[in-house]
């Protein structure tokens, strides 16, 4: 499992509770948003590695933190892995599109990508529309502020 855009680790804790066996790979700049976009400001949503580690203190040994821009600076250690579940909470178009391009080929059949801020943030909507225009699968808007996609095939 993986999450990109960890903030303070609340969603990561829910993911750890939902699956007691799988390791969780957590990616974030840990310095906030790298740029602004839509109505968001550079540096917003800064959560430290220490605050995430405190939130996940009961799960030591089951998660790994990867600081830096994803995927350019922080994905090298997991490029060989397959994923069953990925949560994206990146708030920005470019990062979300880059994350979809990185994770989708690495998703196991039946694996789920769930994204926050859909349809609230235009950049997230655009990233999903652009990416899935070239895929045999599609994505599904959910009630509230999320969308999801299920990987059907092995590619």
């Amino acid at each position: 499992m993986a999450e990109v855009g960890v903030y303070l680790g609340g969603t990561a804790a829910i993911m750890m509770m939902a699956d007691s066996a799988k390791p969780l790979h957590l990616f974030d700049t840990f310095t906030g948003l790298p740029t602004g976009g839509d109505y968001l400001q550079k540096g917003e949503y800064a959560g430290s590695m220490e605050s995430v580690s405190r939130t996940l203190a009961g799960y030591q040994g089951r998660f790994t933190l990867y600081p830096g821009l994803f995927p350019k600076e922080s994905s090298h250690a997991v490029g060989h892995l397959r994923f069953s579940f990925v949560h994206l909470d990146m708030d920005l178009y470019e990062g979300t599109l880059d994350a979809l391009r990185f994770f989708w080929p690495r998703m196991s059949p039946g694996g789920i990508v769930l994204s926050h801020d859909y349809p609230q943030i235009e950049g997230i909507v655009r990233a999903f529309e652009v990416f899935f225009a070239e895929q045999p699968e599609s994505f599904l808007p959910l009630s509230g502020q999320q969308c999801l996609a299920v990987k059907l095939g092995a590619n």
Side-chain angles (χ1 to χ4, degrees):
M1 298 187 302
E3 181 177 37
V4 186
V6 179
Y7 188 41
L8 300 174
T11 302
I14 293 168
M15 292 169 69
M16 298 298 282
M17 285 186 267
D19 191 314
S20 62
K22 291 181 182 150
L24 180 57
H25 302 276
L26 300 170
F27 302 89
D28 203 303
T29 64
F30 298 103
T31 59
L33 295 175
T35 63
D38 290 302
Y39 57 85
L40 302 164
Q41 302 297 313
K42 179 178 179 177
E44 200 169 356
Y45 299 114
S48 69
M49 292 176 71
E50 293 78 19
S51 63
V52 173
S53 292
R54 277 193 302 276
T55 300
L56 301 177
Y59 302 101
Q60 290 300 324
R62 290 202 38 227
F63 68 91
T64 306
L65 302 174
Y66 302 90
L69 285 176
F70 185 88
K72 297 170 188 148
E73 298 172 0
S74 59
S75 66
H76 59 279
V78 300
H80 65 288
L81 296 178
R82 304 283 288 173
F83 295 88
S84 62
F85 184 82
V86 172
H87 181 247
L88 302 179
D89 191 359
M90 301 179 73
D91 302 312
L92 300 170
Y93 168 76
E94 185 177 328
T96 300
L97 184 58
D98 287 347
L100 287 168
R101 288 176 175 156
F102 178 84
F103 282 114
W104 198 249
R106 293 170 174 85
M107 296 302 295
S108 299
I112 295 171
V113 173
L114 179 70
S115 183
H116 188 246
D117 297 317
Y118 186 99
Q120 179 182 8
I121 298 178
E122 173 56 34
I124 305 307
V125 173
R126 196 167 76 244
F128 271 79
E129 288 174 351
V130 166
F131 182 78
F132 282 99
E134 300 176 1
Q135 303 302 318
E137 296 94 349
S138 188
F139 68 96
L140 176 67
L142 302 175
S143 62
Q145 308 263 328
Q146 298 178 318
C147 68
L148 72 77
V150 179
K151 180 73 176 219
L152 299 178
N155 296 17

